[in-house]
Amino acid sequence: MNKKNILFFLISFLIFFRYKIILAVCPVCTVAVGVGLSLSRWLGIDDTISGLWLGGLTVSLIFWTIDLLNKKNIKFKARNLITTFLYYLFLILPLHFMGFLGKGANSLVCFCGIHFDKLFLGILVGSISFWWGAEFYYYLKEKNKGHIFFPFQKVVMPILPLILFSIIFYFLTK
């Protein structure tokens, strides 16, 4: 692992233990996404798959931040939108300036001949799929009168779409 990955882990670890458990998305999900992202980069896996996990991690952190703001009773106009925008801004800009986004060799032909950056496409799909998995968990729990269907459902539901899309993108980019 390089120094940037170690620094990322240390900062994530400190943030993780700084706050009490927040109910939006469980801490195990966030750690699992962070580990998945770091492993994929370390193993040299395609940027589309790395982007999936980066998008999932970002959505998890957005949920945590919004939940923390709720618990601290911090409210302002368009709070959730501003929080989401800032997280993606602080994600995309450093990746662009470090040369991970926007490289010509890193583009992928997608629908209707439109070229998408592999990492950006992964972040987009990963964000949507992680969000959908987390929302689907709450939907299923509500339909079951507040009870889960199986142990660790709160962990499995957001992570499962990331795993499925990782498999799909693996075969598409192979």
Side-chain angles (χ1 to χ4, degrees), residues 16-40:
F16 175 72
F17 284 105
R18 167 71 173 86
Y19 298 106
K20 296 177 185 173
I21 293 177
I22 298 172
L23 299 175
V25 173
C26 73
V28 176
C29 296
T30 303
V31 171
V33 171
V35 169
L37 169 65
S38 296
L39 277 176
S40 68

Side-chain angles (χ1 to χ4, degrees), residues 67-85:
D67 230 20
L68 179 66
L69 293 174
N70 286 338
K71 287 183 182 228
K72 300 285 183 179
N73 204 23
I74 299 172
K75 298 178 181 180
F76 50 90
K77 197 171 196 162
R79 181 192 66 183
N80 294 356
L81 182 64
I82 291 170
T83 302
T84 302
F85 175 77

Side-chain angles (χ1 to χ4, degrees), residues 4 24 87 143 158 169:
K4 290 178 187 175
Y87 264 101
K143 288 293 180 189
F169 280 136

Side-chain angles (χ1 to χ4, degrees), residues 5-155:
N5 288 344
I6 293 170
L7 182 64
F8 172 75
F9 271 129
L10 287 175
I11 291 171
S12 299
F13 186 77
L14 292 173
I15 290 171
F16 175 72
F17 284 105
R18 167 71 173 86
Y19 298 106
K20 296 177 185 173
I21 293 177
I22 298 172
L23 299 175
V25 173
C26 73
V28 176
C29 296
T30 303
V31 171
V33 171
V35 169
L37 169 65
S38 296
L39 277 176
S40 68
R41 294 295 293 170
W42 183 64
L43 294 171
I45 295 174
D46 190 76
D47 279 346
T48 311
I49 298 169
S50 298
L52 287 170
W53 293 89
L54 191 53
L57 178 64
T58 303
V59 170
S60 180
L61 292 172
I62 290 168
F63 283 164
W64 274 35
T65 302
I66 290 171
D67 230 20
L68 179 66
L69 293 174
N70 286 338
K71 287 183 182 228
K72 300 285 183 179
N73 204 23
I74 299 172
K75 298 178 181 180
F76 50 90
K77 197 171 196 162
R79 181 192 66 183
N80 294 356
L81 182 64
I82 291 170
T83 302
T84 302
F85 175 77
L86 288 175
Y87 264 101
Y88 282 107
L89 180 71
F90 292 138
L91 170 68
I92 300 296
L93 283 181
L95 288 173
H96 174 72
F97 288 120
M98 290 177 10
F100 288 112
L101 285 175
K103 293 190 291 187
N106 202 28
S107 66
L108 170 72
V109 176
C110 200
F111 305 107
C112 302
I114 299 172
H115 293 272
F116 285 98
D117 184 87
K118 287 182 175 184
L119 191 57
F120 183 76
L121 179 64
I123 291 169
L124 181 66
V125 173
S127 296
I128 292 169
S129 64
F130 188 89
W131 171 82
W132 181 84
E135 289 296 316
F136 192 58
Y137 160 76
Y138 288 113
Y139 171 78
L140 289 178
K141 188 175 176 184
E142 183 181 310
K143 288 293 180 189
N144 200 24
K145 299 177 183 158
H147 299 287
I148 58 174
F149 285 97
F150 55 89
F152 301 106
Q153 181 179 342
K154 191 172 187 176
V155 175

